[in-house]
């Protein structure tokens, strides 16, 4: 079965940085594009970043463009999200999933990792 394990979240001050990791198993990782999503309290889960199967193509939500970088290591079955210049509005639980454009494709979500940006 598909398993997605997010990690790397924490509490950081505005302007700080975090690097999130998503360890995937139960599917052929290199055959799937992957995305990061986030959900803040009282809000819908939203798309954050996309990376193609090879890692060559990336796409970002406008709200994080220029600040976040998505990447992947197919040898490690892991996708990353480097988050710089963090803002309080980035606070959310962050999730990864297989992706078709901005849409998640697996119905099995991980536990997510909490990111809190606060002074």
């Amino acid at each position: 079965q598909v398993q997605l394990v997010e990690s790397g979240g924490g509490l950081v001050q505005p302007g700080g940085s975090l690097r999130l990791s998503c360890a995937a198993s139960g599917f052929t990782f290199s055959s799937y594009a992957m995305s990061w999503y986030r959900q803040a309290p009282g809000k819908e889960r939203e798309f954050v970043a996309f990376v193609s199967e090879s890692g060559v193509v990336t796409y970002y939500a406008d709200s994080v463009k220029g600040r976040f970088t998505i990447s992947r290591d197919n040898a490690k079955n892991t996708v990353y999200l480097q988050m710089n210049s963090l803002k309080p509005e980035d606070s959310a639980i962050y999730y990864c999933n297989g992706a078709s454009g901005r849409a998640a494709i697996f119905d099995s979500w991980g536990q997510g990792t909490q990111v809190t940006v606060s002074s």
Side-chain angles (χ1 to χ4, degrees):
Q1 295 193 103
V2 171
Q3 190 168 328
L4 302 162
V5 181
E6 300 91 346
S7 62
L11 175 64
V12 64
Q13 294 186 193
S17 298
L18 284 172
R19 188 191 190 215
L20 308 184
S21 296
C22 169
S25 61
F27 63 100
T28 304
F29 182 76
S30 62
S31 296
Y32 288 82
M34 298 290 292
S35 285
W36 285 94
Y37 305 85
R38 66 188 183 188
Q39 187 169 26
K43 295 186 177 181
E44 297 287 319
R45 199 192 322 266
E46 67 174 342
F47 166 81
V48 175
F50 167 97
V51 61
S52 64
E53 294 91 328
S54 66
V56 171
V57 177
T58 59
Y59 181 83
Y60 301 88
D62 289 344
S63 58
V64 308
K65 199 171 299 180
R67 300 187 297 119
F68 291 11
T69 303
I70 189 171
S71 62
R72 66 191 295 159
D73 186 339
N74 285 346
K76 295 182 178 179
N77 282 190
T78 302
V79 60
Y80 304 96
L81 187 67
Q82 177 66 48
M83 306 186 295
N84 299 325
S85 302
L86 283 161
K87 305 174 180 180
E89 52 263 46
D90 295 319
S91 296
I93 302 174
Y94 283 71
Y95 303 88
C96 62
N97 209 308
S100 179
R102 285 177 276 267
I105 61 171
F106 298 128
D107 60 6
S108 179
W109 293 85
Q111 81 285 359
T113 186
Q114 177 72 55
V115 172
T116 303
V117 185
S118 177
S119 59

